[in-house]
């Protein structure tokens, strides 16, 4: 599999080609739409976690889900999500490989019913990043590195003021990425003001590197 370093063109100083990240494995999803004309500027990054089937990694099922090609009969768990049409802008594998499914200028279907920084319908003005993992469990160092880098690159193109988990924008309905995600570690890697993160994530133990 091509890694971030292999795919990033050294001769081109910008990481972007339009709303597509040049270092990402590109796999376009049909599950997207235009951002509403009345929407505020894109200023929020939402971090999620996903694995299909839950707790199993590396099989390609997440990519299939986001492109509407998942075989619903391949695993009993899939019967509960049969017909689901969702997407995220980005997906980061356990190895740190970065995938992109939706142009960041467009609206991906990742947040659902949500409310944050005084606004509802967070899909309208956010960028969604899925981490391969199970909510509540740990994530890999390579994922933190890839997440920090893509967040920094997103902030070069969009006026990002906030980063939060799905659990923060849809409390009670969503739990990801969960207590296993190390927010202080991400904040240090980004070197962003702690105020950009949800207040509940600004303290707590950090996982070892």
């Amino acid at each position: 599999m091509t890694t971030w370093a292999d795919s990033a063109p050294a001769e081109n100083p910008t990481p972007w080609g339009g709303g597509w990240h040049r270092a990402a494995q590109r796999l376009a999803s049909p599950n997207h739409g235009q951002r509403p004309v009345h929407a505020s500027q894109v200023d929020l990054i939402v971090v999620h976690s996903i694995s299909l089937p839950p707790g199993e990694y590396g099989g390609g099922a997440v990519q299939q889900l986001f492109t509407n090609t998942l075989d619903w009969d391949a695993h009993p768990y899939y019967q509960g999500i049969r017909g689901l049409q969702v997407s995220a802008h980005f997906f980061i594998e356990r190895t740190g490989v970065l995938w992109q499914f939706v142009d960041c200028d467009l609206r991906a279907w990742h947040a659902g019913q949500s409310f944050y920084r005084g606004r509802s319908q967070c899909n309208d003005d956010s960028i969604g990043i899925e981490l391969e993992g199970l909510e509540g469990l740990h994530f890999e160092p390579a994922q933190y590195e890839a997440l920090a880098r893509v967040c920094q690159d997103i902030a070069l193109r969009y006026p990002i003021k906030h980063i939060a988990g799905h659990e923060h924008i849809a409390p009670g309905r969503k739990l990801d990425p969960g207590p296993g995600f190390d927010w202080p570690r991400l904040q240090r890697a980004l070197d962003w003001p702690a105020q950009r993160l949800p207040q509940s994530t600004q303290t707590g133990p950090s996982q070892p590197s």
Side-chain angles (χ1 to χ4, degrees):
M1 177 66 73
T2 303
T3 66
W4 189 303
D6 294 331
S7 59
E11 70 280 3
N12 195 324
T14 176
W16 296 97
W20 292 93
H21 198 288
R22 297 183 189 278
Q25 303 289 317
R26 182 170 172 173
L27 184 62
S29 170
N31 303 329
H32 66 268
Q34 296 293 323
R35 295 190 187 274
V37 295
H38 64 271
S40 300
Q41 60 190 3
V42 176
D43 63 357
L44 170 67
I45 294 172
V46 180
V47 179
H48 306 255
S49 64
I50 187 173
S51 58
L52 290 175
E56 296 186 19
Y57 307 138
V62 174
Q63 291 90 330
Q64 294 165 16
L65 176 67
F66 289 167
T67 54
N68 298 344
T69 59
L70 183 64
D71 179 0
W72 305 113
D73 298 317
H75 190 277
Y77 175 80
Y78 299 160
Q79 296 306 309
I81 60 171
R82 179 183 285 271
L84 184 67
Q85 294 185 337
V86 293
S87 63
H89 293 93
F90 295 101
F91 171 60
I92 300 175
E93 295 183 359
R94 304 292 287 183
T95 57
V97 172
L98 178 72
W99 292 78
Q100 185 171 359
F101 299 90
V102 176
D103 183 323
C104 287
D105 291 345
L106 300 176
R107 181 183 189 273
W109 301 348
H110 62 98
Q113 293 297 318
S114 49
F115 184 89
Y116 200 70
R117 79 273 196 238
R119 304 201 295 269
S120 61
Q121 304 303 327
C122 293
N123 279 337
D124 292 348
D125 45 22
S126 70
I127 291 174
I129 304 175
E130 294 272 5
L131 301 177
E132 187 174 33
L134 191 63
E135 60 191 35
L137 300 185
H138 81 283
F139 297 86
E140 298 295 335
Q143 292 181 289
Y144 286 103
E145 293 169 10
L147 177 61
R149 182 163 179 180
V150 75
C151 286
Q152 290 168 336
D153 288 346
I154 290 168
L156 294 175
R157 181 175 171 83
Y158 304 92
I160 299 301
K161 297 179 181 177
H162 309 275
I163 180 168
H166 204 181
E167 61 194 298
H168 304 113
I169 68 169
R173 186 175 69 83
K174 293 294 182 179
L175 301 173
D176 60 304
F181 185 79
D182 193 336
W183 287 97
R185 178 175 183 164
L186 177 62
Q187 191 267 329
R188 291 194 304 273
L190 289 171
D191 194 26
W192 286 357
Q195 291 75 16
R196 291 193 184 186
L197 281 68
Q199 185 175 2
S200 62
T201 68
Q202 295 177 22
T203 59
S206 179
Q207 298 174 6
S209 299

